[in-house]
Structures are given as structure tokens and as C-alpha cells.
Amino acid sequence: QVQLVESGGGLVQPGGSLRLSCAASGFTFSYYAMSWVRQAPGKGLEWVLDITSSGSTTYYADSVKGRFTISRDNAKSTLYLQMNSLKPADTAVYYCAKALSTVVTGHERSEYDYWGQGTQVTVSS
């Protein structure tokens, strides 16, 4: 069955860095676009970054431009999120999500068929 397993979250000080990973299994990872989506306490989903099946970044949230990078290793079926210069506002549960096609066509739950369980990122001194 399809599984998306995030890892790499934790507590980090403002200005620090973290790299999240999303290990995929149960489907042909290289065929599908992926996204990182976060949810801060008491808030709705925020799409952070999208990447096409071939590895092109197609979306950055304004809030993370210049600080976060999305990448993927199709040989390892793994998605990554490199987060630098972290801010307290980045505190959230981070989810990876599998899109329905080779590119993300919309930022709605209906455009995705599988989500990971999420990993907590807390930015605090």
C-alpha cells in the first residue's frame, strides 16, 4: 500500500536549519508531483512548496522564499525539504503529499490522494 513517512522534525532555535525527509513507498514515486504542506496551531493548511515529478520547483509560498528548498531523489523515492533561517512563524506540523499527476494542478485536498502522518517542527529559543 502507499505510504508516505516524514522524518527530521524537531525543536530548533530561530535562525537554525532542519531538513525534512519523506520516504515514499507503494507507488512509482518518479511519476508524481509532490508537495510540502504545513499546518500551524489553530490555522488551516498552508502549501509551502511543490515539485514536479522530474524535480522542478513550481511553487514557493511567499513566506518561505529564499529560505526553504524542495528536492527529490527519485532513485531513493524520497522527498526533501531543506529549511534554513527558521523563524518562530515556521512552527507547524509539516506534511508531504502525493499529487495526482506529474505536476501539481491546484492547492486543494482533492488534488492529492495520499498524505503523510506529519512531522512537528518547532522554532523557539
Side-chain angles (χ1 to χ4, degrees):
Q1 72 278 23
V2 172
Q3 283 194 309
L4 298 172
V5 180
E6 300 99 337
S7 61
L11 174 64
V12 62
Q13 292 187 339
S17 297
L18 280 176
R19 188 174 84 153
L20 306 184
S21 298
C22 170
S25 61
F27 65 101
T28 306
F29 182 72
S30 61
Y31 285 6
Y32 296 95
M34 301 289 294
S35 297
W36 285 102
V37 184
R38 68 185 181 183
Q39 187 166 29
K43 296 189 176 181
L45 295 175
E46 179 188 14
W47 266 259
V48 180
L49 294 124
D50 300 335
I51 190 167
T52 66
S53 58
S54 59
S56 297
T57 302
T58 51
Y59 174 79
Y60 280 95
D62 287 342
S63 56
V64 306
K65 280 182 180 177
R67 301 188 299 121
F68 289 15
T69 304
I70 190 171
S71 61
R72 64 192 296 159
D73 186 334
N74 284 343
K76 295 182 178 180
S77 297
T78 303
L79 179 73
Y80 302 101
L81 178 63
Q82 178 67 45
M83 305 186 293
N84 299 327
S85 303
L86 282 160
K87 305 175 181 180
D90 296 316
T91 295
V93 177
Y94 284 73
Y95 300 92
C96 61
K98 173 187 171 292
L100 297 175
S101 182
T102 56
V103 296
V104 173
T105 56
H107 288 158
E108 301 171 349
R109 279 192 174 272
S110 59
E111 299 297 324
Y112 300 83
D113 53 359
Y114 291 96
W115 295 69
Q117 83 287 353
T119 187
Q120 177 70 47
V121 171
T122 302
V123 185
S124 174
S125 54

